[in-house]
Amino acid sequence: MRTRLLALIVVPTVTVALVAGLRVAESIENADAYERTGRLATLGKELTALTHEVEGERDMTARAAAGGANAVDPEELKTQQDAVDAAARKVRDAAQDVETGSAALDLTVTNVLNRVDDLGALRKVSSSLAPGVVIDRYSDFVSAFSDFHQIVSQTAPTPEIAQSALALSDLAHAKDAASRERSLIASAIWQQRFEPLERARVEDARAELNASIDSFRSTATTAQLRLYDDTVTGPELDQAEYTRLLVLARADASANLSVRFSANAAKDWVSDSSARVDRLRTVEQNIAAELADDADAARADAQVDAIRDAVLLFLVLAVVVALVLIVARSLVLPLRRLQTGALEVAGTRLPGLVERLRDPEAAAGGIEVEPIDVDSRDEIGQVARAFDEVHREAVRLAADEAVLRGNINAMFVNLSRRSQSLIERQLRLIEELEQSERDEEQLGNLFRLDHLATRMRRNNENLLVLGGQEQVRRWRKPVPLIDVVRASLSEVEQYERVSLRVQGDMTVAGPAVNDLVHLLAELIENATTFSSEHTKVTVSGQLLSGGGSMLQITDNGVGMSPEELEQANWRLANPPVIDFGAARRMGLFVVGRLAVRHGIRVELRAAQGGGLTAFVVLPDAVVSPGESGGIGARGLPGREAAEQGPLATLTASAESPAVGATGAFRQEGPGT
């Protein structure tokens, strides 16, 4: 067994190491990286076109702000804006295919698209702005576009691609600086003067132009430098430099920075300076196309490497798999049967057996455990037999627990039956003494004794509920809800502290009467026990618009923490199997059992002034609108009163109107 396991582990591991599986993964990763870079390069190429067109629109808009229709033909400006929109559409289309794999690139692409979407808003306000402000606003857009290339260079998969992207970024900044210089000087000529801030910005643009060109020369390849030197030259550039120096000299010689040139001079400046921008654009286009081509070529090479390595790995692994299948066959099938059997036992068979064993009779009869279908004698078979033993032991323990639970239930029922008849006789005797007693003090003592005996009977009935038995006493006819509430007060020691505010004529179905009396008595008993003797406990009730009714029992007692409330409400909705915890909190357990028996919902909530409120929601099957006039406790004949229970033993003192409120199940106490 150990040899087979060793072969199963070592052979695939050594084989994968020999065929360089990491190499395949690296090739695939490189191919993906090159593909992402290729798409980014395509997007960058479209961005360079958009940047160039936006720079042209910036120049025309600034000149229009400075010289109006004399400086720029509106139709020419509209044509330039259409060119910007066409370039923007291409950028959006290219951005749809981009998967950056980088948070910085994601943010940059998002920023670029947001800037593209904001172009329309910029155009609406640009007609009312000064030339310098127009240049600044458009420059924000151009800067966002130009920064894209620098981010691409930082995430490029190879140094060559990073170098081209960085050179493209430097060239884009240089072209932007040349374009801004063109716009600033053209606007000044049309306005016949420089604003002080615009004069300084001309120097800033030239400084940025020179710095970007220097940076480009330090990062560009020899071929790229040769292309730049051969392209960005000519007499127009020399003429533009002469005009620039002349304009700045005249401005500096004037106190108010005035420059007086003709309209033709302004147009000549735009034509000559545009030659530099256009030739920079030519170099930019070539480098952007070269960057996209390099990324595509690198992607194709990486894909070929990945396919070659994957085919080689597949051939080697095919041999390895054949060997592993032969070795593993003798292990996998028994392990699979063991796994299936163990999961079936844990998920289905054992829970089902435990559920069946909740019935003490089934537990006493015994249940046979079916073994797992693994008959080998190796370690797997030994594990299966060990699991069978664990299964049998779990079933045995569950059966013993069920038998013990049945014995405890029988003990509860036996104890309750033994004392039930004695308490009923005691109650009848107390009632006879009450009827013949004339001394008010002694009569009050008899009333208190009556309530104590009634509480004893309720405790006996609690034992019946714990034992899973239902009360023998049944009420056959519907009973008014107010009489049911009053009957529950007869089983509460401090009934005089309870106020009733039950509104509406409602009747309770006969089969639920005694259980509802018992449930309410438990709640009211806890409300009086865990609140000050000087406070009132309020019981209120009303019909619900959707059917049924709701009772509220509110006290001003110690209350419960949120964690205790949550646990208590869960136990009320899901009464557990009888255990030590249920015996300690008998009232909570009994209320939950009785509520589930009749579909009643009980929930505890914190009251506003302190203490708790118990909400008892009675469904249509339990309570319904009825005629006024209830069944009084004293109105029942003697024998029927003894048979019907709490309603028959309701004392006159419990009939006083009171105010409704809540009982709570805290630590331990009467009824809990």
Side-chain angles (χ1 to χ4, degrees), residues 368-427:
E368 184 64 26
V369 174
E370 181 181 354
I372 294 178
D373 184 22
V374 176
D375 53 5
S376 61
R377 296 183 179 180
D378 56 12
E379 287 86 345
I380 298 176
Q382 294 174 12
V383 172
R385 300 291 76 78
F387 196 87
D388 290 339
E389 291 300 321
V390 173
H391 187 189
R392 291 190 186 93
E393 185 65 17
V395 171
R396 186 187 66 79
L397 292 176
D400 292 345
E401 182 183 353
V403 172
L404 178 60
R405 189 183 305 116
N407 293 336
I408 294 175
N409 291 345
M411 180 179 65
F412 286 156
V413 174
N414 188 30
L415 290 174
S416 177
R417 299 298 188 202
R418 282 176 178 269
S419 59
Q420 189 120 22
S421 59
L422 296 176
I423 294 176
E424 294 294 345
R425 290 168 57 189
Q426 183 181 14
L427 285 171

Short mmCIF file of all heavy atoms in Angstrom, two decimals, residues 368-427:
data_model
loop_
_atom_site.label_atom_id
_atom_site.label_comp_id
_atom_site.label_asym_id
_atom_site.label_seq_id
_atom_site.Cartn_x
_atom_site.Cartn_y
_atom_site.Cartn_z
N GLU A 368 -30.61 -2.24 13.15
CA GLU A 368 -29.41 -2.84 12.58
C GLU A 368 -28.69 -1.81 11.70
O GLU A 368 -29.31 -1.10 10.91
CB GLU A 368 -29.77 -4.06 11.75
CG GLU A 368 -28.58 -4.82 11.19
CD GLU A 368 -27.70 -5.43 12.29
OE1 GLU A 368 -28.23 -5.70 13.39
OE2 GLU A 368 -26.50 -5.62 12.04
N VAL A 369 -27.36 -1.78 11.81
CA VAL A 369 -26.54 -0.84 11.03
C VAL A 369 -25.95 -1.58 9.83
O VAL A 369 -25.29 -2.61 9.99
CB VAL A 369 -25.42 -0.25 11.90
CG1 VAL A 369 -24.50 0.61 11.05
CG2 VAL A 369 -26.00 0.57 13.04
N GLU A 370 -26.19 -1.02 8.63
CA GLU A 370 -25.67 -1.62 7.40
C GLU A 370 -24.22 -1.20 7.20
O GLU A 370 -23.92 0.00 7.21
CB GLU A 370 -26.51 -1.19 6.21
CG GLU A 370 -26.05 -1.78 4.90
CD GLU A 370 -26.90 -1.29 3.72
OE1 GLU A 370 -27.90 -0.59 3.97
OE2 GLU A 370 -26.55 -1.61 2.58
N PRO A 371 -23.27 -2.12 7.00
CA PRO A 371 -21.85 -1.75 6.85
C PRO A 371 -21.59 -1.08 5.50
O PRO A 371 -22.35 -1.23 4.54
CB PRO A 371 -21.12 -3.08 6.97
CG PRO A 371 -22.12 -4.10 6.52
CD PRO A 371 -23.47 -3.59 6.95
N ILE A 372 -20.45 -0.37 5.43
CA ILE A 372 -20.03 0.27 4.18
C ILE A 372 -19.53 -0.80 3.21
O ILE A 372 -18.88 -1.78 3.59
CB ILE A 372 -18.92 1.30 4.47
CG1 ILE A 372 -19.48 2.44 5.32
CG2 ILE A 372 -18.33 1.86 3.19
CD1 ILE A 372 -18.44 3.47 5.70
N ASP A 373 -19.83 -0.60 1.91
CA ASP A 373 -19.53 -1.60 0.89
C ASP A 373 -18.06 -1.55 0.48
O ASP A 373 -17.70 -1.15 -0.63
CB ASP A 373 -20.44 -1.36 -0.33
CG ASP A 373 -20.23 -2.44 -1.40
OD1 ASP A 373 -19.74 -3.52 -1.04
OD2 ASP A 373 -20.56 -2.16 -2.57
N VAL A 374 -17.17 -1.90 1.40
CA VAL A 374 -15.74 -2.04 1.13
C VAL A 374 -15.30 -3.32 1.83
O VAL A 374 -15.34 -3.41 3.06
CB VAL A 374 -14.92 -0.84 1.64
CG1 VAL A 374 -13.44 -1.08 1.41
CG2 VAL A 374 -15.35 0.43 0.93
N ASP A 375 -14.89 -4.34 1.04
CA ASP A 375 -14.57 -5.64 1.63
C ASP A 375 -13.09 -6.00 1.52
O ASP A 375 -12.70 -7.14 1.75
CB ASP A 375 -15.41 -6.73 0.96
CG ASP A 375 -15.26 -6.71 -0.55
OD1 ASP A 375 -14.44 -5.91 -1.06
OD2 ASP A 375 -15.96 -7.49 -1.23
N SER A 376 -12.23 -5.04 1.16
CA SER A 376 -10.81 -5.35 1.06
C SER A 376 -10.20 -5.45 2.45
O SER A 376 -10.75 -4.93 3.43
CB SER A 376 -10.09 -4.26 0.24
OG SER A 376 -10.22 -3.01 0.88
N ARG A 377 -9.05 -6.10 2.53
CA ARG A 377 -8.40 -6.29 3.82
C ARG A 377 -7.21 -5.35 4.03
O ARG A 377 -6.49 -5.48 5.01
CB ARG A 377 -7.92 -7.73 3.94
CG ARG A 377 -9.06 -8.75 3.93
CD ARG A 377 -8.53 -10.15 4.14
NE ARG A 377 -9.63 -11.12 4.15
CZ ARG A 377 -9.45 -12.45 4.32
NH1 ARG A 377 -8.21 -12.92 4.50
NH2 ARG A 377 -10.49 -13.26 4.32
N ASP A 378 -7.00 -4.43 3.10
CA ASP A 378 -5.89 -3.49 3.26
C ASP A 378 -6.30 -2.36 4.20
O ASP A 378 -7.33 -2.43 4.88
CB ASP A 378 -5.43 -2.95 1.91
CG ASP A 378 -6.59 -2.31 1.14
OD1 ASP A 378 -7.65 -2.10 1.76
OD2 ASP A 378 -6.42 -2.02 -0.06
N GLU A 379 -5.49 -1.28 4.22
CA GLU A 379 -5.78 -0.17 5.12
C GLU A 379 -7.13 0.48 4.85
O GLU A 379 -7.81 0.94 5.77
CB GLU A 379 -4.67 0.89 5.00
CG GLU A 379 -3.34 0.49 5.62
CD GLU A 379 -2.48 -0.30 4.64
OE1 GLU A 379 -3.03 -0.77 3.62
OE2 GLU A 379 -1.27 -0.46 4.90
N ILE A 380 -7.55 0.53 3.57
CA ILE A 380 -8.85 1.13 3.25
C ILE A 380 -9.98 0.31 3.85
O ILE A 380 -10.94 0.85 4.43
CB ILE A 380 -9.01 1.26 1.72
CG1 ILE A 380 -7.93 2.18 1.15
CG2 ILE A 380 -10.39 1.79 1.36
CD1 ILE A 380 -7.96 2.30 -0.35
N GLY A 381 -9.88 -1.02 3.74
CA GLY A 381 -10.89 -1.87 4.34
C GLY A 381 -10.91 -1.73 5.85
O GLY A 381 -12.00 -1.74 6.48
N GLN A 382 -9.75 -1.58 6.48
CA GLN A 382 -9.70 -1.40 7.92
C GLN A 382 -10.35 -0.08 8.33
O GLN A 382 -11.03 -0.02 9.36
CB GLN A 382 -8.25 -1.46 8.39
CG GLN A 382 -7.59 -2.82 8.19
CD GLN A 382 -6.11 -2.80 8.53
OE1 GLN A 382 -5.61 -1.84 9.11
NE2 GLN A 382 -5.41 -3.86 8.14
N VAL A 383 -10.14 0.96 7.53
CA VAL A 383 -10.80 2.24 7.81
C VAL A 383 -12.31 2.10 7.70
O VAL A 383 -13.07 2.64 8.52
CB VAL A 383 -10.28 3.34 6.87
CG1 VAL A 383 -11.10 4.62 7.02
CG2 VAL A 383 -8.82 3.64 7.14
N ALA A 384 -12.77 1.35 6.69
CA ALA A 384 -14.21 1.15 6.53
C ALA A 384 -14.80 0.42 7.73
O ALA A 384 -15.88 0.79 8.24
CB ALA A 384 -14.49 0.38 5.24
N ARG A 385 -14.12 -0.62 8.21
CA ARG A 385 -14.63 -1.35 9.38
C ARG A 385 -14.62 -0.46 10.62
O ARG A 385 -15.54 -0.54 11.46
CB ARG A 385 -13.77 -2.59 9.62
CG ARG A 385 -13.72 -3.60 8.48
CD ARG A 385 -15.04 -4.33 8.24
NE ARG A 385 -16.04 -3.53 7.57
CZ ARG A 385 -16.07 -3.30 6.26
NH1 ARG A 385 -15.12 -3.77 5.48
NH2 ARG A 385 -17.06 -2.59 5.73
N ALA A 386 -13.57 0.36 10.75
CA ALA A 386 -13.53 1.28 11.89
C ALA A 386 -14.68 2.28 11.83
O ALA A 386 -15.30 2.60 12.85
CB ALA A 386 -12.18 2.01 11.93
N PHE A 387 -15.00 2.74 10.64
CA PHE A 387 -16.11 3.68 10.49
C PHE A 387 -17.44 2.99 10.82
O PHE A 387 -18.33 3.61 11.41
CB PHE A 387 -16.14 4.23 9.06
CG PHE A 387 -16.98 5.47 8.91
CD1 PHE A 387 -16.45 6.71 9.15
CD2 PHE A 387 -18.32 5.38 8.54
CE1 PHE A 387 -17.22 7.85 9.02
CE2 PHE A 387 -19.10 6.51 8.42
CZ PHE A 387 -18.54 7.75 8.66
N ASP A 388 -17.58 1.71 10.43
CA ASP A 388 -18.79 0.96 10.80
C ASP A 388 -18.94 0.89 12.31
O ASP A 388 -20.05 1.03 12.85
CB ASP A 388 -18.74 -0.45 10.21
CG ASP A 388 -18.90 -0.45 8.69
OD1 ASP A 388 -19.43 0.55 8.17
OD2 ASP A 388 -18.46 -1.42 8.04
N GLU A 389 -17.83 0.67 13.01
CA GLU A 389 -17.90 0.61 14.47
C GLU A 389 -18.32 1.95 15.06
O GLU A 389 -19.11 2.01 16.00
CB GLU A 389 -16.54 0.17 15.03
CG GLU A 389 -16.18 -1.27 14.74
CD GLU A 389 -17.20 -2.24 15.33
OE1 GLU A 389 -17.68 -1.98 16.45
OE2 GLU A 389 -17.51 -3.25 14.66
N VAL A 390 -17.77 3.01 14.51
CA VAL A 390 -18.17 4.34 14.97
C VAL A 390 -19.66 4.56 14.72
O VAL A 390 -20.39 5.10 15.57
CB VAL A 390 -17.33 5.43 14.26
CG1 VAL A 390 -17.85 6.82 14.59
CG2 VAL A 390 -15.87 5.31 14.67
N HIS A 391 -20.14 4.12 13.54
CA HIS A 391 -21.55 4.26 13.20
C HIS A 391 -22.42 3.49 14.21
O HIS A 391 -23.42 4.01 14.72
CB HIS A 391 -21.77 3.73 11.78
CG HIS A 391 -23.15 3.97 11.25
ND1 HIS A 391 -23.59 3.42 10.06
CD2 HIS A 391 -24.19 4.67 11.75
CE1 HIS A 391 -24.83 3.78 9.88
NE2 HIS A 391 -25.22 4.55 10.87
N ARG A 392 -22.03 2.24 14.48
CA ARG A 392 -22.81 1.44 15.42
C ARG A 392 -22.82 2.07 16.81
O ARG A 392 -23.85 2.09 17.50
CB ARG A 392 -22.23 0.02 15.49
CG ARG A 392 -22.41 -0.81 14.24
CD ARG A 392 -22.04 -2.26 14.47
NE ARG A 392 -22.08 -3.01 13.22
CZ ARG A 392 -21.04 -3.21 12.43
NH1 ARG A 392 -19.85 -2.71 12.77
NH2 ARG A 392 -21.16 -3.89 11.30
N GLU A 393 -21.66 2.59 17.24
CA GLU A 393 -21.59 3.20 18.57
C GLU A 393 -22.48 4.45 18.64
O GLU A 393 -23.15 4.69 19.65
CB GLU A 393 -20.14 3.57 18.89
CG GLU A 393 -19.91 4.11 20.29
CD GLU A 393 -20.21 3.08 21.36
OE1 GLU A 393 -20.28 1.87 21.05
OE2 GLU A 393 -20.36 3.49 22.53
N ALA A 394 -22.49 5.25 17.56
CA ALA A 394 -23.35 6.44 17.54
C ALA A 394 -24.81 6.06 17.62
O ALA A 394 -25.60 6.69 18.33
CB ALA A 394 -23.07 7.26 16.27
N VAL A 395 -25.20 5.00 16.86
CA VAL A 395 -26.59 4.55 16.90
C VAL A 395 -26.94 4.01 18.28
O VAL A 395 -28.02 4.27 18.82
CB VAL A 395 -26.83 3.49 15.80
CG1 VAL A 395 -28.21 2.86 15.96
CG2 VAL A 395 -26.69 4.13 14.43
N ARG A 396 -26.00 3.28 18.88
CA ARG A 396 -26.27 2.73 20.22
C ARG A 396 -26.48 3.86 21.23
O ARG A 396 -27.39 3.82 22.06
CB ARG A 396 -25.12 1.84 20.66
CG ARG A 396 -25.38 1.10 21.97
CD ARG A 396 -24.13 0.37 22.44
NE ARG A 396 -23.07 1.30 22.79
CZ ARG A 396 -23.02 1.97 23.96
NH1 ARG A 396 -23.99 1.83 24.84
NH2 ARG A 396 -22.02 2.78 24.21
N LEU A 397 -25.60 4.87 21.17
CA LEU A 397 -25.74 5.99 22.09
C LEU A 397 -27.05 6.73 21.87
O LEU A 397 -27.72 7.14 22.83
CB LEU A 397 -24.56 6.95 21.91
CG LEU A 397 -23.19 6.42 22.36
CD1 LEU A 397 -22.10 7.43 22.03
CD2 LEU A 397 -23.19 6.11 23.85
N ALA A 398 -27.44 6.91 20.59
CA ALA A 398 -28.72 7.58 20.31
C ALA A 398 -29.89 6.74 20.83
O ALA A 398 -30.87 7.29 21.36
CB ALA A 398 -28.87 7.81 18.80
N ALA A 399 -29.79 5.40 20.70
CA ALA A 399 -30.86 4.54 21.21
C ALA A 399 -30.93 4.62 22.73
O ALA A 399 -32.02 4.71 23.32
CB ALA A 399 -30.62 3.10 20.76
N ASP A 400 -29.77 4.59 23.38
CA ASP A 400 -29.77 4.70 24.84
C ASP A 400 -30.35 6.04 25.28
O ASP A 400 -31.11 6.10 26.26
CB ASP A 400 -28.34 4.57 25.37
CG ASP A 400 -27.78 3.15 25.18
OD1 ASP A 400 -28.60 2.24 24.91
OD2 ASP A 400 -26.55 2.97 25.28
N GLU A 401 -29.99 7.10 24.55
CA GLU A 401 -30.53 8.42 24.90
C GLU A 401 -32.04 8.46 24.70
O GLU A 401 -32.77 9.03 25.51
CB GLU A 401 -29.86 9.50 24.04
CG GLU A 401 -30.34 10.90 24.36
CD GLU A 401 -29.72 11.95 23.46
OE1 GLU A 401 -28.82 11.58 22.68
OE2 GLU A 401 -30.14 13.11 23.55
N ALA A 402 -32.53 7.83 23.62
CA ALA A 402 -33.98 7.82 23.38
C ALA A 402 -34.70 7.04 24.47
O ALA A 402 -35.77 7.44 24.95
CB ALA A 402 -34.27 7.22 22.01
N VAL A 403 -34.12 5.89 24.86
CA VAL A 403 -34.75 5.11 25.94
C VAL A 403 -34.76 5.92 27.23
O VAL A 403 -35.76 5.95 27.96
CB VAL A 403 -33.99 3.78 26.12
CG1 VAL A 403 -34.50 3.04 27.36
CG2 VAL A 403 -34.17 2.90 24.88
N LEU A 404 -33.62 6.58 27.51
CA LEU A 404 -33.56 7.41 28.72
C LEU A 404 -34.57 8.54 28.66
O LEU A 404 -35.25 8.84 29.65
CB LEU A 404 -32.14 7.96 28.87
CG LEU A 404 -31.91 8.91 30.06
CD1 LEU A 404 -32.20 8.19 31.37
CD2 LEU A 404 -30.49 9.46 30.04
N ARG A 405 -34.70 9.16 27.47
CA ARG A 405 -35.68 10.22 27.33
C ARG A 405 -37.09 9.71 27.54
O ARG A 405 -37.94 10.34 28.16
CB ARG A 405 -35.54 10.87 25.94
CG ARG A 405 -36.36 12.13 25.78
CD ARG A 405 -36.26 12.69 24.38
NE ARG A 405 -34.87 12.91 24.01
CZ ARG A 405 -34.24 12.28 23.04
NH1 ARG A 405 -34.89 11.37 22.31
NH2 ARG A 405 -32.99 12.54 22.76
N GLY A 406 -37.36 8.51 26.99
CA GLY A 406 -38.69 7.93 27.20
C GLY A 406 -38.94 7.64 28.66
O GLY A 406 -40.05 7.86 29.17
N ASN A 407 -37.92 7.18 29.37
CA ASN A 407 -38.08 6.92 30.79
C ASN A 407 -38.34 8.21 31.57
O ASN A 407 -39.17 8.24 32.48
CB ASN A 407 -36.84 6.21 31.34
CG ASN A 407 -36.69 4.81 30.78
OD1 ASN A 407 -37.67 4.19 30.35
ND2 ASN A 407 -35.46 4.29 30.76
N ILE A 408 -37.60 9.25 31.18
CA ILE A 408 -37.82 10.55 31.85
C ILE A 408 -39.22 11.06 31.57
O ILE A 408 -39.92 11.55 32.48
CB ILE A 408 -36.76 11.57 31.38
CG1 ILE A 408 -35.38 11.13 31.87
CG2 ILE A 408 -37.08 12.95 31.90
CD1 ILE A 408 -34.25 12.01 31.35
N ASN A 409 -39.68 10.95 30.30
CA ASN A 409 -41.04 11.38 29.97
C ASN A 409 -42.06 10.60 30.78
O ASN A 409 -43.04 11.16 31.30
CB ASN A 409 -41.29 11.21 28.48
CG ASN A 409 -40.48 12.18 27.64
OD1 ASN A 409 -39.95 13.15 28.17
ND2 ASN A 409 -40.38 11.91 26.36
N ALA A 410 -41.85 9.28 30.86
CA ALA A 410 -42.78 8.46 31.63
C ALA A 410 -42.77 8.86 33.10
O ALA A 410 -43.82 8.87 33.77
CB ALA A 410 -42.42 6.98 31.47
N MET A 411 -41.58 9.23 33.58
CA MET A 411 -41.49 9.67 34.97
C MET A 411 -42.25 10.97 35.18
O MET A 411 -42.98 11.13 36.16
CB MET A 411 -40.02 9.85 35.34
CG MET A 411 -39.79 10.30 36.77
SD MET A 411 -38.04 10.48 37.14
CE MET A 411 -37.62 11.83 36.02
N PHE A 412 -42.08 11.91 34.23
CA PHE A 412 -42.83 13.16 34.33
C PHE A 412 -44.33 12.90 34.34
O PHE A 412 -45.08 13.45 35.16
CB PHE A 412 -42.48 14.08 33.15
CG PHE A 412 -41.12 14.71 33.25
CD1 PHE A 412 -40.45 15.14 32.12
CD2 PHE A 412 -40.51 14.87 34.48
CE1 PHE A 412 -39.20 15.71 32.22
CE2 PHE A 412 -39.25 15.46 34.58
CZ PHE A 412 -38.60 15.87 33.45
N VAL A 413 -44.79 12.07 33.41
CA VAL A 413 -46.22 11.79 33.31
C VAL A 413 -46.71 11.11 34.57
O VAL A 413 -47.79 11.42 35.12
CB VAL A 413 -46.51 10.93 32.06
CG1 VAL A 413 -47.97 10.51 32.03
CG2 VAL A 413 -46.15 11.72 30.80
N ASN A 414 -45.93 10.15 35.07
CA ASN A 414 -46.33 9.42 36.27
C ASN A 414 -46.44 10.36 37.47
O ASN A 414 -47.41 10.30 38.24
CB ASN A 414 -45.32 8.31 36.55
CG ASN A 414 -45.78 7.40 37.68
OD1 ASN A 414 -46.97 7.21 37.88
ND2 ASN A 414 -44.83 6.84 38.40
N LEU A 415 -45.42 11.23 37.63
CA LEU A 415 -45.46 12.18 38.74
C LEU A 415 -46.65 13.12 38.62
O LEU A 415 -47.32 13.45 39.61
CB LEU A 415 -44.17 13.00 38.77
CG LEU A 415 -42.89 12.25 39.19
CD1 LEU A 415 -41.68 13.15 39.02
CD2 LEU A 415 -43.00 11.77 40.63
N SER A 416 -46.91 13.57 37.37
CA SER A 416 -48.04 14.48 37.17
C SER A 416 -49.37 13.79 37.48
O SER A 416 -50.24 14.35 38.15
CB SER A 416 -48.03 15.00 35.73
OG SER A 416 -49.14 15.82 35.50
N ARG A 417 -49.54 12.54 36.99
CA ARG A 417 -50.79 11.83 37.22
C ARG A 417 -51.01 11.56 38.72
O ARG A 417 -52.13 11.62 39.21
CB ARG A 417 -50.79 10.51 36.47
CG ARG A 417 -50.66 10.62 34.96
CD ARG A 417 -51.79 11.37 34.34
NE ARG A 417 -51.73 11.28 32.87
CZ ARG A 417 -52.31 12.13 32.05
NH1 ARG A 417 -52.98 13.15 32.55
NH2 ARG A 417 -52.20 11.98 30.75
N ARG A 418 -49.93 11.26 39.42
CA ARG A 418 -50.05 10.94 40.84
C ARG A 418 -50.61 12.11 41.63
O ARG A 418 -51.41 11.93 42.55
CB ARG A 418 -48.69 10.54 41.42
CG ARG A 418 -48.24 9.13 41.08
CD ARG A 418 -46.85 8.86 41.62
NE ARG A 418 -46.43 7.50 41.35
CZ ARG A 418 -46.63 6.48 42.19
NH1 ARG A 418 -47.25 6.69 43.34
NH2 ARG A 418 -46.22 5.26 41.89
N SER A 419 -50.10 13.32 41.29
CA SER A 419 -50.51 14.48 42.08
C SER A 419 -51.71 15.22 41.51
O SER A 419 -52.31 16.05 42.19
CB SER A 419 -49.34 15.46 42.21
OG SER A 419 -48.92 15.87 40.93
N GLN A 420 -52.08 14.92 40.25
CA GLN A 420 -53.16 15.68 39.61
C GLN A 420 -54.48 15.49 40.34
O GLN A 420 -55.20 16.45 40.63
CB GLN A 420 -53.31 15.27 38.14
CG GLN A 420 -54.26 16.16 37.37
CD GLN A 420 -53.55 16.82 36.21
OE1 GLN A 420 -52.54 16.32 35.78
NE2 GLN A 420 -54.06 17.93 35.75
N SER A 421 -54.82 14.23 40.62
CA SER A 421 -56.11 13.98 41.27
C SER A 421 -56.14 14.58 42.67
O SER A 421 -57.18 15.11 43.12
CB SER A 421 -56.36 12.47 41.34
OG SER A 421 -55.32 11.82 42.06
N LEU A 422 -54.99 14.55 43.39
CA LEU A 422 -54.94 15.14 44.72
C LEU A 422 -55.16 16.65 44.66
O LEU A 422 -55.88 17.21 45.50
CB LEU A 422 -53.58 14.83 45.38
CG LEU A 422 -53.28 13.35 45.65
CD1 LEU A 422 -51.87 13.20 46.21
CD2 LEU A 422 -54.31 12.76 46.62
N ILE A 423 -54.56 17.29 43.65
CA ILE A 423 -54.73 18.75 43.53
C ILE A 423 -56.17 19.09 43.17
O ILE A 423 -56.74 20.07 43.68
CB ILE A 423 -53.75 19.30 42.48
CG1 ILE A 423 -52.31 19.14 42.98
CG2 ILE A 423 -54.02 20.77 42.19
CD1 ILE A 423 -51.26 19.56 41.98
N GLU A 424 -56.80 18.28 42.30
CA GLU A 424 -58.19 18.54 41.95
C GLU A 424 -59.08 18.42 43.19
O GLU A 424 -59.98 19.23 43.42
CB GLU A 424 -58.64 17.58 40.86
CG GLU A 424 -57.95 17.75 39.52
CD GLU A 424 -58.28 19.08 38.87
OE1 GLU A 424 -59.24 19.74 39.31
OE2 GLU A 424 -57.56 19.46 37.93
N ARG A 425 -58.82 17.40 44.01
CA ARG A 425 -59.60 17.25 45.25
C ARG A 425 -59.34 18.43 46.18
O ARG A 425 -60.25 18.94 46.83
CB ARG A 425 -59.22 15.94 45.92
CG ARG A 425 -59.73 14.71 45.16
CD ARG A 425 -59.09 13.44 45.67
NE ARG A 425 -59.34 13.28 47.12
CZ ARG A 425 -58.76 12.33 47.87
NH1 ARG A 425 -57.89 11.50 47.31
NH2 ARG A 425 -59.04 12.24 49.17
N GLN A 426 -58.07 18.86 46.22
CA GLN A 426 -57.74 20.00 47.07
C GLN A 426 -58.47 21.25 46.60
O GLN A 426 -58.98 22.02 47.42
CB GLN A 426 -56.23 20.21 47.05
CG GLN A 426 -55.75 21.33 47.96
CD GLN A 426 -54.25 21.51 47.88
OE1 GLN A 426 -53.62 20.99 46.98
NE2 GLN A 426 -53.69 22.24 48.82
N LEU A 427 -58.53 21.46 45.30
CA LEU A 427 -59.23 22.64 44.76
C LEU A 427 -60.71 22.60 45.08
O LEU A 427 -61.32 23.63 45.42
CB LEU A 427 -59.00 22.73 43.24
CG LEU A 427 -57.61 23.21 42.79
CD1 LEU A 427 -57.46 23.04 41.29
CD2 LEU A 427 -57.41 24.67 43.17
#
